[in-house]
Amino acid sequence: MMDGSSPKATPMLVTPSEWSENSFYDLAKITSGQVDPRKAPYNSMILVAPDHIRTGSGRIDQRLTAIQQGAISGKYLVKKGEVIYSKIRPNLQKLALADEDCLCSADMYPVAAKEGVSALFLKYLMLSAPFTEFATSVSVRSGMPKINRQELAHFSAVVPDSYEEQEAIAEALSDADALIEELERLILKKRLIKQGAMQSLLTAERRLPGFSGEWKRYRLSEIGEVTGSGVDKKIVEGEQPIRLLNYTDVYREQYITGRILHHWVTASEQKARRCRIRNGDIFFTPTSETPDDIARSAVALEDIEDAAYSYHVVKLRLNKVDSRDFWAHIFETEDFRRQARLNADGSGTRYVVTLRKFRNMEISIPNETEREAIGETLRDMSAEIHALVTRLEKARQVKDGMMQNLLTGRIRLD
């Protein structure tokens, strides 16, 4: 590995003899003492808190100095190469390797690898399932789940005696992480490109080749029927459970299929009306805790004869269904989002857009041919993003498998 060549993997049936059991404090030590983040040079250092690290990622996503965060209470000084580990909610795997001298909040520990122990290997060991399961199990107590220094002493693991083998394992896992980060960046880039295309194509700011002419503006009630929580027949006590569409399904997805409708209800569990979902039906979230999250939409991709949707969902059944991909995106324009915010009435702790106001909200749309062309363009972009997301999921699965095998010695790197 050190000469740049790729190490070969050799499967092992038992723990290798060159590996030894070590307690946590055989491998690492935790820094004690705090510094004042209001004083130089600490006030200009990056200050890391648990919410600056994405769950299970092993890296810092947000970098703000102590002075930018207005820090006033004592913080730990972290040296470059030390692991920053969140001692609260250890199940969230909030830890990262510091790539510069920095500070961390009192909710975290600066963990230094001992001599002969690879800091990068220590990071992956602390990200492993056995460590997380241990930390989670001992942190269960009243109030906030939290692990302390004394509890960490009870963790042990079998690790390579050789620093070189630790480094080889860590570098292999780091290569897997690099692929994951590259895919995440590419997905973000593609999503931003798609977002830009949506805002230009769906507002007629940019037209596809061959199209011209004015778009027409319609109220929702003019392009279809707007209804709430089902319209067919009531669920009868004792009937078989049916699939329920709730606002969380709409909020998460632009497209709704039977795979998304995973909730099952009976009359005693949910106040809902039985209905038939039709391919091309559009569903909205009419209520939310913030005005910005109201009127999110998703379009059904199939017929579902026996279903229901809750009173947290509004349905638009179009007079004519053409490009589902166009209709899946048109309601995400700033024009429609602004109307949703303006029409939202405060109701206790939630905001609500009534059916009457939904019916009077407006959109501008082109003719059917242009709708199909725009929908096809956005569908191609969505397909490209979906393919990348699938690759990302597989890359994460491969890394998980590598961690399970390499960190236990089941597979050795030659």
Side-chain angles (χ1 to χ4, degrees), residues 260-272:
I260 298 300
L261 296 170
H262 57 272
H263 308 289
W264 295 84
V265 296
T266 63
S268 61
E269 295 169 329
Q270 178 75 34
K271 291 181 179 179

Side-chain angles (χ1 to χ4, degrees), residues 326-375:
F326 175 87
W327 294 108
H329 295 92
I330 186 62
F331 299 104
E332 290 301 312
T333 60
E334 177 53 31
D335 172 46
F336 193 79
R337 308 290 318 128
R338 179 185 56 80
Q339 291 181 67
R341 291 192 295 269
L342 291 175
N343 282 290
D345 296 322
S347 177
T349 59
R350 301 187 69 84
Y351 292 84
V352 178
V353 177
T354 64
L355 274 177
R356 181 182 62 80
K357 289 185 176 180
F358 251 110
R359 293 181 177 118
N360 288 322
M361 289 172 64
E362 299 179 342
I363 56 169
S364 297
I365 57 175
N367 61 40
E368 182 177 342
T369 304
E370 188 170 1
R371 292 199 296 269
E372 290 284 358
I374 293 173

Side-chain angles (χ1 to χ4, degrees), residues 50-165:
D51 59 353
H52 298 162
I53 299 174
R54 194 188 320 169
T55 295
S57 70
R59 63 180 184 269
I60 301 167
D61 279 346
Q62 185 176 349
R63 294 173 180 268
L64 296 171
T65 64
I67 196 168
Q68 286 174 322
Q69 297 182 56
I72 56 174
S73 59
K75 309 298 177 189
Y76 290 115
L77 178 63
V78 183
K79 295 294 185 181
K80 179 180 179 180
E82 292 182 345
V83 176
I84 310 171
Y85 176 69
S86 174
K87 59 187 177 183
I88 61 172
R89 297 192 182 95
N91 63 302
L92 297 181
Q93 295 182 301
K94 300 274 191 168
L95 67 97
L97 193 66
D99 55 9
E100 63 179 306
D101 289 354
C102 60
L103 304 178
C104 72
S105 76
D107 291 327
M108 311 186 81
Y109 288 134
V111 182
K114 286 192 173 178
E115 185 176 355
V117 178
S118 162
L120 191 56
F121 178 87
L122 179 64
K123 165 192 160 181
Y124 285 112
L125 181 64
M126 295 177 70
L127 277 171
S128 69
F131 182 87
T132 302
E133 290 166 4
F134 164 81
T136 302
S137 68
V138 299
S139 67
V140 179
R141 63 183 77 172
S142 59
M144 178 79 70
K146 183 177 179 181
I147 188 168
N148 60 39
R149 297 170 188 254
Q150 292 73 32
E151 289 164 337
L152 281 168
H154 296 289
F155 175 78
S156 65
V158 177
V159 302
D161 298 328
S162 164
Y163 179 87
E164 288 72 22
E165 186 170 4

Side-chain angles (χ1 to χ4, degrees), residues 255-289:
Y255 307 97
I256 294 175
T257 71
R259 291 187 300 275
I260 298 300
L261 296 170
H262 57 272
H263 308 289
W264 295 84
V265 296
T266 63
S268 61
E269 295 169 329
Q270 178 75 34
K271 291 181 179 179
R273 288 181 180 271
R274 204 156 190 161
C275 68
R276 297 177 180 88
I277 291 177
R278 290 287 178 257
N279 188 330
D281 283 349
I282 300 163
F283 295 91
F284 298 91
T285 55
T287 177
S288 181
E289 294 179 358

Side-chain angles (χ1 to χ4, degrees), residues 310-330:
S310 78
Y311 64 91
H312 289 300
V313 176
V314 165
K315 182 182 74 177
L316 167 63
R317 177 162 290 174
L318 296 169
N319 296 330
K320 182 178 182 182
V321 178
D322 40 67
S323 172
R324 295 175 309 185
D325 296 279
F326 175 87
W327 294 108
H329 295 92
I330 186 62

Side-chain angles (χ1 to χ4, degrees), residues 167-184:
E167 279 284 280
I169 292 171
E171 287 179 23
L173 294 174
S174 184
D175 289 343
D177 267 338
L179 173 60
I180 289 170
E181 290 180 41
E182 180 183 353
L183 288 170
E184 288 175 341

